Amino acid sequence: MKLNELFLETRARLIGAGLPASELEAEWIIDHTLGVTAIERIQQPERIVTPLECERIKSIIGRRVSGEPLAYILGEKEFFGFKFKVTPKVLIPRPETEHLVECALEWVQDNFTKGEPVELLELGTGSGCIVVTLLLLIPELKAVAIDISDGALDVAHENSLKHGVSDRLELIKGDASQTSALIGDKKFDFVLANPPYIERADARVDAFVRKFEPAIALFSSGLKGLEISSNWIAQLPQLLKPQRSAAGFEFGYNQAREVEGFFLGTGVFAKHEIVRDYSGHERLIWGMT
Ligand SMILES: C[S@@+](CC[C@H](N)C(=O)[O-])C[C@H]1O[C@@H](n2cnc3c(N)ncnc32)[C@H](O)[C@@H]1O
């Protein structure tokens, strides 16, 4: 079979299964399995695909049409233009979360001079996509990242090695509801988190997200699923340096007012802003002391 025929067949199967982004996913499946770049794929439509490669792609399509997320099948996901390893032990990095990285980059650029050291604490690091991206983009940055899941920490460690930033990242296993017990009285220039913030009973959660992604990364108890966010934010006064520090937290579609209340309740932020995501939803809060 020729490459262009295989591409059209793959795309047709994904469209037939009613999957959104079928064209893009067909491209990713082909490029990943054949080890070609997008340009090579376009330039070699007549390339012959071996029966083994066809079988591999068929098996991927079978898993995908039964609902398994493509990132878990391929074992990777792009975030902020960088490729991250992912396994079913970690949340698949979401495009919305890129806004947290953008806010952090802008804040560091506005408040630190070139060569000046900067220290970051991330709570609930998962795949490490946020912290590793920032370490890649800010050479002066050193970071500590905490997660309760061994599986997630293994993936974060692999991602830090893959991107060559492991020497500036300390990964700590533990419960971030007691961060000081894990890090002592150390204070940071900025703290970031994309905490588990979904209420278990929320009927809007996609069935495949619920089935395949780790519950510990998704759900939190309390009113509207805000227990973990409230707890982590309440610790910020102990975690931030008293001056020129900041914190950014992602939150759910209906949580802006409550999370803003938690930020104000800390009493440490002189100003804050709520930032919207690519779809126009209020998605994160950025506070500055
Ligand atoms: C929503 S995921 C975010 C992962 C990653 N930062 C991202 O944005 O893709 C939340 C992460 O918090 C971790 N987590 C959940 N409860 C925790 C706790 N009590 N202490 C530390 N980490 C926790 C989960 O294992 C998961 O990796």
mmCIF file of all heavy atoms in Angstrom, residues 169 235 279:
data_model
loop_
_atom_site.group_PDB
_atom_site.id
_atom_site.type_symbol
_atom_site.label_atom_id
_atom_site.label_comp_id
_atom_site.label_asym_id
_atom_site.label_seq_id
_atom_site.Cartn_x
_atom_site.Cartn_y
_atom_site.Cartn_z
ATOM 1 N N LEU A 169 16.036 20.466 38.397
ATOM 2 C CA LEU A 169 14.703 20.105 38.891
ATOM 3 C C LEU A 169 14.816 19.081 40.015
ATOM 4 O O LEU A 169 15.425 18.020 39.844
ATOM 5 C CB LEU A 169 13.868 19.499 37.751
ATOM 6 C CG LEU A 169 12.502 18.932 38.149
ATOM 7 C CD1 LEU A 169 11.591 20.033 38.700
ATOM 8 C CD2 LEU A 169 11.821 18.264 36.946
ATOM 9 N N GLN A 235 -1.869 27.641 51.458
ATOM 10 C CA GLN A 235 -0.463 27.505 51.892
ATOM 11 C C GLN A 235 0.474 28.536 51.249
ATOM 12 O O GLN A 235 1.647 28.635 51.617
ATOM 13 C CB GLN A 235 0.054 26.108 51.535
ATOM 14 C CG GLN A 235 -0.675 24.975 52.242
ATOM 15 C CD GLN A 235 -0.198 23.629 51.700
ATOM 16 O OE1 GLN A 235 0.948 23.247 51.911
ATOM 17 N NE2 GLN A 235 -1.068 22.934 50.996
ATOM 18 N N SER A 279 -10.689 29.211 24.329
ATOM 19 C CA SER A 279 -12.136 29.186 24.036
ATOM 20 C C SER A 279 -12.868 30.337 24.706
ATOM 21 O O SER A 279 -14.095 30.380 24.661
ATOM 22 C CB SER A 279 -12.771 27.883 24.520
ATOM 23 O OG SER A 279 -11.925 26.807 24.407
#
